[in-house]
Structures are given as C-alpha cells and as structure tokens.
Amino acid sequence: MAEATLIDGKAFAVTLRGKVAEGVAKLKADHGVTPGLAVVLVGEDPASQVYVRNKGKQTVEAGMESFEHKLPATTSQAELLALIDSLNKDDKVDGILCQLPVPDQIDGDTIINAIAPEKDVDGFHVINAGKLATGQQGLVPCTPLGCLLLLKDHLGPLSGKSAVVIGRSNIVGKPMAQLLLKESCTVTVAHSRTKDLPAVAREADILVAAVGRPEMVTGDWVKPGATVIDVGINRVDNPETGKTKLVGDVDFASAAQVAGAITPVPGGVGPMTIACLLRNTLEAACLRRGIPTDGIL
Ligand code: GUN
C-alpha cells in the first residue's frame, strides 16, 4: 500500500491564524474593538512556560492584546480566584485561559468554573461543556476543534463515518467525541479498560489517538485507508542522538504504511491548538458584545 497522505497542521494553522488576523482587523475597523486574551500561569513548569510564551507571541501577531499573569508556585487558591474575578470584570479582556496543570494546593475545576463562561476560551467550563453536549452554541475546546477542522478539510462531510477516539479526558477525548457526533459520525470512545483495543481501533474510518502513551497505536491497529489524527505530544529519549525527541501516540512509521492520511508529530495537531485559541478569542469578543460573527469568523 502507498504511504499515507500527510495532513499538514502547521500549514493549516498558518492559514487559520491569517484568517483570524483578518477578522480582528475587521472587528477593529467596523466596531472599534481590539480583542484581548489573558493567560494565567501559576508556577514554573518549563513546558507550560514555552506554551505561554508562544500563545502571547501569536496573540500579538494576530493583532490582539495579550495580558500575561505569571504567579509564583506558592499562590493560594483564594489569590488565583481574586485574579480571575478581576479578569472577568475587565472589559479589555475577552478571553481568559489558566494554563493547566495548576499546583496541588489549587483545585483545577474550581478555577475553570470561576472563569466567566463567555470568556472561557478553553471551553472547559461546565456551561460550555454542557452546551457542546446538548448542541448549543458555546466555546469549544481548542485541541479537538483543531482536529475537527483538519478532518473536515481533508475528508469533507464526515456524516456516517465510523470514528474511534482513544482517550476520555475532558480536554480532548470527551469533547472530540461530542464534536464528531455533531457531525453525524458513529462514535466510539475507547480507553485503557477497553477490551481488545486494537480490534476496536481497526473499525475506525477516523482514528483519533489522545492517550499520552508514546507510539502506542501501531499500523496493525489501523484500518487500511483510515484517517489517523495523532494528538499525543510525548518527549522520549532518542538513543541515536542521546537527546530527547517528540513523538505522538501513534507509531508514525508503521501507521503511515496502512492509513490513507495521517497527522505527523510535530507539525500536525499541535500548531492547531493555539490557532483555535485565537479563533475562540475573536469569537468571544464578538459574542460577548452581541456582534454577529459572519464576515468576521
Ligand atoms: N495544558 C495543556 N493543554 C492545555 C490547554 O489546552 N489549555 C490549558 N488551559 N492548559 C493546558
């Protein structure tokens, strides 16, 4: 079988960020509004620091305002809630994101649910999760939204396709399943307790791997011609160089021999997450003010 088509998330994300920048310019010109995104980072986790820096940079490149709040690892829950409260009330702030994970003394769910739902650009608040589950308009989590945009771009309408999502997290697996259901896929959510996971995965026209296990999904799990979306970002040792390298949840070399199309790691789903965050911030800036999104989004 020929090698799978590569789904270039990096290129798609550049295009999407360009569209967001156009929408931001139109919002400014027609309504005098500059969207603002506040990113809160508690502690000094190196990976989180890299994400937050990239988010800030790309926010400014899209023509939006970026507000960064870096708090020490010893911050109390009450202090963080006080900051969220002030951002909820700040009219220059359209989107609020608190980088996860937060330190142990802070309850992540309490913080997420303290963010005003109309500013919850991560789409993690129970109100937004409930809206997604019931088919109402709300803010949708960025990584699954990015996966869906790639799938629709590559496959066109998804109706009737069999989709298997491996992983049941609130951040990716569950919202991904909801989005695919909304597109009229037949959706299976598989996880660590699923019996005969390879056989379940082999039923999928669309296979989404979001488990956080390096190269777990191998070619023999893939139905010939299937579209494989790899959400994993795992840092592993590279014995050839003695350094670390990034790999997905899919064993790219074997899966690409069987799949019809596949996202690489890096350069697949990863770049789509921030692009969708910027899109959500633009959407929040419009919806919060009752500005119609057609012509802007
Ligand atoms: N940590 C890892 N991914 C994410 C994300 O999408 N949003 C937030 N807030 N934290 C994260």
Side-chain angles (χ1 to χ4, degrees):
M1 187 132 188
E3 277 264 321
T5 303
L6 212 60
I7 298 179
D8 188 346
K10 198 172 165 187
F12 195 100
V14 168
T15 305
L16 181 56
R17 295 207 309 267
K19 284 187 192 155
V20 171
E22 280 173 26
V24 169
K26 191 162 183 350
L27 187 62
K28 266 188 215 176
D30 295 356
H31 300 275
V33 171
T34 301
L37 172 63
V39 174
V40 181
L41 174 62
V42 187
E44 269 114 48
D45 178 58
S48 294
Q49 283 179 326
V50 174
Y51 286 135
V52 168
R53 202 178 315 130
N54 285 337
K55 280 172 193 163
K57 190 168 157 271
Q58 294 184 21
T59 303
V60 172
E61 280 169 7
M64 307 196 212
E65 275 209 83
S66 168
F67 308 101
E68 272 183 29
H69 296 267
K70 292 190 175 164
L71 306 180
T74 51
T75 301
S76 70
Q77 179 160 305
E79 285 167 329
L80 183 53
L81 286 172
L83 172 61
I84 302 279
D85 186 49
S86 73
L87 296 173
N88 282 341
K89 290 175 179 147
D90 185 343
D91 201 43
K92 286 165 73 85
V93 172
D94 295 291
I96 303 169
L97 176 148
C98 180
Q99 186 68 29
L100 301 175
V102 284
D104 288 347
Q105 74 275 15
I106 298 172
D107 177 53
D109 284 341
T110 302
I111 299 305
I112 288 166
N113 291 325
I115 295 171
E118 66 275 16
K119 295 190 178 187
D120 167 41
V121 283
D122 257 330
F124 294 163
H125 192 291
V126 281
I127 294 265
N128 283 317
K131 284 185 171 174
L132 179 60
T134 54
Q136 299 175 63
Q137 187 182 38
L139 292 163
V140 174
C142 305
T143 301
L145 178 59
C147 295
L148 185 73
L149 294 178
L150 292 177
L151 281 167
K152 285 170 76 165
D153 180 61
H154 183 70
L155 291 171
L158 307 181
S159 175
K161 293 195 184 298
S162 140
V164 174
V165 179
I166 312 178
R168 54 175 156 177
S169 71
N170 291 337
I171 294 183
V172 183
K174 283 186 222 165
M176 185 78 251
Q178 299 287 2
L179 285 170
L180 291 165
L181 195 54
K182 213 165 144 189
E183 295 296 325
S184 303
C185 291
T186 303
V187 182
T188 303
V189 182
H191 46 78
S192 55
R193 303 286 178 91
T194 297
K195 291 199 176 114
D196 201 352
L197 189 48
V200 173
R202 264 194 304 274
E203 294 292 313
D205 301 318
I206 295 169
L207 183 60
V208 181
V211 271
R213 295 259 231 108
E215 299 175 324
M216 184 177 86
V217 177
T218 46
D220 56 323
W221 295 35
V222 177
K223 174 165 148 179
T227 303
V228 178
I229 303 289
D230 189 352
V231 182
I233 300 178
N234 308 290
R235 201 167 274 285
V236 297
D237 290 331
N238 184 350
E240 284 166 27
T241 62
K243 295 185 181 156
T244 61
K245 62 169 179 174
L246 287 184
V247 298
D249 292 347
V250 176
D251 173 37
F252 184 87
S254 64
Q257 298 297 317
V258 189
I262 185 167
T263 60
V265 175
V269 173
M272 291 298 290
T273 299
I274 298 183
C276 288
L277 173 69
L278 302 179
R279 190 205 159 279
N280 279 358
T281 305
L282 177 58
E283 185 176 18
C286 293
L287 294 181
R288 204 165 72 76
R289 295 181 173 84
I291 297 170
T293 53
D294 35 297
I296 291 179
L297 272 183

